[in-house]
Short mmCIF file of all heavy atoms in Angstrom, two decimals:
data_model
loop_
_atom_site.label_atom_id
_atom_site.label_comp_id
_atom_site.label_asym_id
_atom_site.label_seq_id
_atom_site.Cartn_x
_atom_site.Cartn_y
_atom_site.Cartn_z
N ASP A 92 154.96 19.59 47.28
CA ASP A 92 156.36 19.70 47.43
C ASP A 92 156.94 18.33 47.92
O ASP A 92 156.77 17.98 49.06
CB ASP A 92 156.68 20.73 48.51
CG ASP A 92 158.13 21.06 48.70
OD1 ASP A 92 158.95 20.22 48.29
OD2 ASP A 92 158.53 22.05 49.26
N ARG A 93 157.58 17.66 46.99
CA ARG A 93 157.95 16.33 47.20
C ARG A 93 159.18 16.21 48.18
O ARG A 93 159.68 15.12 48.39
CB ARG A 93 158.26 15.63 45.92
CG ARG A 93 156.93 15.37 45.05
CD ARG A 93 157.13 14.97 43.64
NE ARG A 93 158.26 14.05 43.38
CZ ARG A 93 158.23 12.71 43.84
NH1 ARG A 93 157.20 12.40 44.60
NH2 ARG A 93 159.18 11.96 43.60
N ARG A 94 159.61 17.33 48.75
CA ARG A 94 160.64 17.19 49.73
C ARG A 94 160.04 16.89 51.15
O ARG A 94 160.53 16.21 52.02
CB ARG A 94 161.43 18.50 49.90
CG ARG A 94 162.38 18.76 48.81
CD ARG A 94 162.92 20.18 48.79
NE ARG A 94 161.76 21.22 48.88
CZ ARG A 94 161.97 22.44 49.04
NH1 ARG A 94 163.19 22.97 49.09
NH2 ARG A 94 161.02 23.29 48.99
N VAL A 95 158.77 17.48 51.31
CA VAL A 95 158.23 17.41 52.66
C VAL A 95 157.42 16.13 52.81
O VAL A 95 156.94 15.55 51.87
CB VAL A 95 157.37 18.57 53.08
CG1 VAL A 95 158.00 19.86 52.48
CG2 VAL A 95 155.93 18.43 52.51
N GLU A 96 157.46 15.67 54.11
CA GLU A 96 156.74 14.43 54.40
C GLU A 96 155.73 14.72 55.57
O GLU A 96 156.13 15.24 56.54
CB GLU A 96 157.86 13.42 54.90
CG GLU A 96 157.61 12.00 54.51
CD GLU A 96 158.87 11.22 54.96
OE1 GLU A 96 159.39 11.46 55.99
OE2 GLU A 96 159.15 10.34 54.25
N TYR A 97 154.52 14.29 55.35
CA TYR A 97 153.60 14.55 56.45
C TYR A 97 153.62 13.25 57.28
O TYR A 97 153.60 12.13 56.96
CB TYR A 97 152.20 14.64 55.79
CG TYR A 97 152.01 15.98 55.13
CD1 TYR A 97 151.64 15.99 53.80
CD2 TYR A 97 152.16 17.17 55.84
CE1 TYR A 97 151.63 17.29 53.19
CE2 TYR A 97 152.02 18.40 55.22
CZ TYR A 97 151.79 18.37 53.81
OH TYR A 97 151.55 19.63 53.20
N LEU A 98 153.62 13.61 58.59
CA LEU A 98 153.61 12.52 59.54
C LEU A 98 152.26 12.42 60.32
O LEU A 98 151.78 13.49 60.68
CB LEU A 98 154.71 12.87 60.63
CG LEU A 98 156.08 13.09 59.95
CD1 LEU A 98 157.01 13.62 61.10
CD2 LEU A 98 156.68 11.87 59.40
N THR A 99 151.82 11.22 60.48
CA THR A 99 150.50 11.12 61.16
C THR A 99 150.65 9.86 62.06
O THR A 99 151.20 8.81 61.61
CB THR A 99 149.47 10.86 60.12
OG1 THR A 99 149.61 11.59 59.00
CG2 THR A 99 148.10 11.11 60.75
N LEU A 100 150.09 9.88 63.20
CA LEU A 100 150.04 8.86 64.12
C LEU A 100 149.12 7.76 63.57
O LEU A 100 147.97 8.15 63.21
CB LEU A 100 149.57 9.26 65.51
CG LEU A 100 150.49 10.13 66.36
CD1 LEU A 100 150.03 10.20 67.77
CD2 LEU A 100 151.86 9.50 66.37
N THR A 101 149.48 6.48 63.69
CA THR A 101 148.52 5.39 63.42
C THR A 101 147.61 5.33 64.65
O THR A 101 147.82 6.02 65.55
CB THR A 101 149.37 4.16 63.28
OG1 THR A 101 150.03 3.86 64.47
CG2 THR A 101 150.25 4.19 62.07
N SER A 102 146.61 4.50 64.52
CA SER A 102 145.79 4.26 65.82
C SER A 102 146.53 3.72 66.91
O SER A 102 146.33 4.10 68.01
CB SER A 102 144.56 3.54 65.49
OG SER A 102 144.81 2.34 64.85
N ALA A 103 147.52 2.83 66.50
CA ALA A 103 148.39 2.29 67.60
C ALA A 103 149.09 3.49 68.27
O ALA A 103 149.20 3.59 69.46
CB ALA A 103 149.39 1.30 67.03
N GLY A 104 149.68 4.33 67.44
CA GLY A 104 150.39 5.55 68.03
C GLY A 104 149.52 6.39 68.85
O GLY A 104 149.95 6.90 69.88
N GLN A 105 148.25 6.55 68.34
CA GLN A 105 147.40 7.40 69.18
C GLN A 105 147.09 6.77 70.50
O GLN A 105 146.93 7.39 71.50
CB GLN A 105 146.08 7.60 68.46
CG GLN A 105 146.19 8.59 67.25
CD GLN A 105 145.05 8.74 66.37
OE1 GLN A 105 143.88 8.73 66.96
NE2 GLN A 105 145.13 8.97 65.16
N GLN A 106 147.05 5.45 70.53
CA GLN A 106 146.63 4.74 71.78
C GLN A 106 147.82 4.90 72.70
O GLN A 106 147.61 5.31 73.94
CB GLN A 106 146.60 3.22 71.42
CG GLN A 106 145.17 2.70 71.82
CD GLN A 106 145.19 1.26 71.33
OE1 GLN A 106 145.04 0.89 70.22
NE2 GLN A 106 145.26 0.32 72.34
N VAL A 107 149.11 4.82 72.19
CA VAL A 107 150.22 5.05 73.05
C VAL A 107 150.17 6.48 73.61
O VAL A 107 150.49 6.74 74.77
CB VAL A 107 151.58 4.71 72.28
CG1 VAL A 107 152.79 5.05 73.07
CG2 VAL A 107 151.55 3.34 71.83
N TYR A 108 149.98 7.35 72.70
CA TYR A 108 149.88 8.80 73.18
C TYR A 108 148.99 9.00 74.20
O TYR A 108 149.30 9.62 75.22
CB TYR A 108 149.65 9.70 71.81
CG TYR A 108 149.21 11.07 72.28
CD1 TYR A 108 150.03 11.98 72.87
CD2 TYR A 108 147.86 11.51 72.11
CE1 TYR A 108 149.74 13.23 73.18
CE2 TYR A 108 147.49 12.81 72.39
CZ TYR A 108 148.46 13.68 72.89
OH TYR A 108 148.13 14.91 73.35
N ARG A 109 147.82 8.47 74.05
CA ARG A 109 146.74 8.75 75.16
C ARG A 109 147.18 8.05 76.46
O ARG A 109 147.01 8.63 77.54
CB ARG A 109 145.37 8.16 74.77
CG ARG A 109 144.63 9.04 73.70
CD ARG A 109 143.14 8.56 73.65
NE ARG A 109 143.05 7.33 72.95
CZ ARG A 109 143.02 7.15 71.65
NH1 ARG A 109 142.99 8.12 70.80
NH2 ARG A 109 142.99 5.97 71.09
N ASP A 110 147.77 6.80 76.30
CA ASP A 110 148.20 6.13 77.51
C ASP A 110 149.20 7.00 78.27
O ASP A 110 149.18 7.25 79.46
CB ASP A 110 148.75 4.76 77.27
CG ASP A 110 149.20 4.03 78.41
OD1 ASP A 110 148.50 4.18 79.51
OD2 ASP A 110 150.19 3.33 78.35
N LEU A 111 150.25 7.34 77.47
CA LEU A 111 151.35 8.15 78.15
C LEU A 111 150.92 9.54 78.65
O LEU A 111 151.42 9.93 79.69
CB LEU A 111 152.55 8.35 77.10
CG LEU A 111 153.26 7.06 76.80
CD1 LEU A 111 154.38 7.36 75.76
CD2 LEU A 111 154.05 6.63 78.08
N LYS A 112 150.03 10.11 77.93
CA LYS A 112 149.43 11.45 78.28
C LYS A 112 148.80 11.23 79.68
O LYS A 112 148.90 12.14 80.68
CB LYS A 112 148.55 11.91 77.32
CG LYS A 112 147.92 13.23 77.63
CD LYS A 112 147.13 13.75 76.46
CE LYS A 112 145.85 14.59 76.97
NZ LYS A 112 145.02 15.12 75.80
N GLY A 113 148.06 10.25 79.81
CA GLY A 113 147.35 10.00 81.11
C GLY A 113 148.32 9.82 82.25
O GLY A 113 148.17 10.28 83.37
N ILE A 114 149.34 8.98 81.96
CA ILE A 114 150.33 8.75 83.03
C ILE A 114 151.13 10.09 83.31
O ILE A 114 151.39 10.39 84.46
CB ILE A 114 151.34 7.68 82.53
CG1 ILE A 114 150.58 6.37 82.42
CG2 ILE A 114 152.51 7.50 83.50
CD1 ILE A 114 151.42 5.31 81.70
N ALA A 115 151.36 10.86 82.26
CA ALA A 115 151.98 12.15 82.51
C ALA A 115 151.25 12.96 83.37
O ALA A 115 151.75 13.79 84.23
CB ALA A 115 152.30 12.82 81.11
N GLN A 116 149.93 12.98 83.18
CA GLN A 116 149.02 13.86 83.93
C GLN A 116 149.11 13.43 85.39
O GLN A 116 149.25 14.32 86.30
CB GLN A 116 147.62 13.64 83.40
CG GLN A 116 146.53 14.58 84.22
CD GLN A 116 145.24 14.58 83.50
OE1 GLN A 116 145.02 13.84 82.67
NE2 GLN A 116 144.49 15.44 83.90
N ASP A 117 149.04 12.19 85.68
CA ASP A 117 149.14 11.77 87.07
C ASP A 117 150.48 12.03 87.72
O ASP A 117 150.56 12.50 88.86
CB ASP A 117 148.96 10.23 87.09
CG ASP A 117 147.53 9.85 86.71
OD1 ASP A 117 146.64 10.68 86.56
OD2 ASP A 117 147.28 8.54 86.45
N TYR A 118 151.48 11.98 86.88
CA TYR A 118 152.80 12.16 87.43
C TYR A 118 152.99 13.70 87.63
O TYR A 118 153.66 14.03 88.67
CB TYR A 118 153.85 11.62 86.42
CG TYR A 118 155.31 11.76 86.83
CD1 TYR A 118 155.68 11.34 88.13
CD2 TYR A 118 156.31 12.25 86.00
CE1 TYR A 118 156.94 11.44 88.56
CE2 TYR A 118 157.55 12.41 86.44
CZ TYR A 118 157.92 12.01 87.70
OH TYR A 118 159.22 12.12 88.18
N ASP A 119 152.44 14.43 86.78
CA ASP A 119 152.66 15.95 86.97
C ASP A 119 151.87 16.34 88.24
O ASP A 119 152.39 17.16 88.93
CB ASP A 119 151.96 16.58 85.74
CG ASP A 119 152.33 18.05 85.70
OD1 ASP A 119 151.67 18.87 86.26
OD2 ASP A 119 153.35 18.37 85.11
N ALA A 120 150.73 15.66 88.48
CA ALA A 120 150.03 16.04 89.63
C ALA A 120 150.77 15.66 90.92
O ALA A 120 150.87 16.37 91.85
CB ALA A 120 148.72 15.26 89.67
#
Side-chain angles (χ1 to χ4, degrees):
Chain A
D92 183 342
R93 293 168 37 64
R94 287 170 303 181
V95 320
E96 217 174 37
Y97 290 117
L98 307 170
T99 323
L100 289 189
T101 61
S102 58
Q105 287 176 32
Q106 244 177 284
V107 175
Y108 166 65
R109 277 193 297 270
D110 182 38
L111 286 176
K112 179 174 149 179
I114 296 170
Q116 179 168 16
D117 293 348
Y118 184 47
D119 195 272

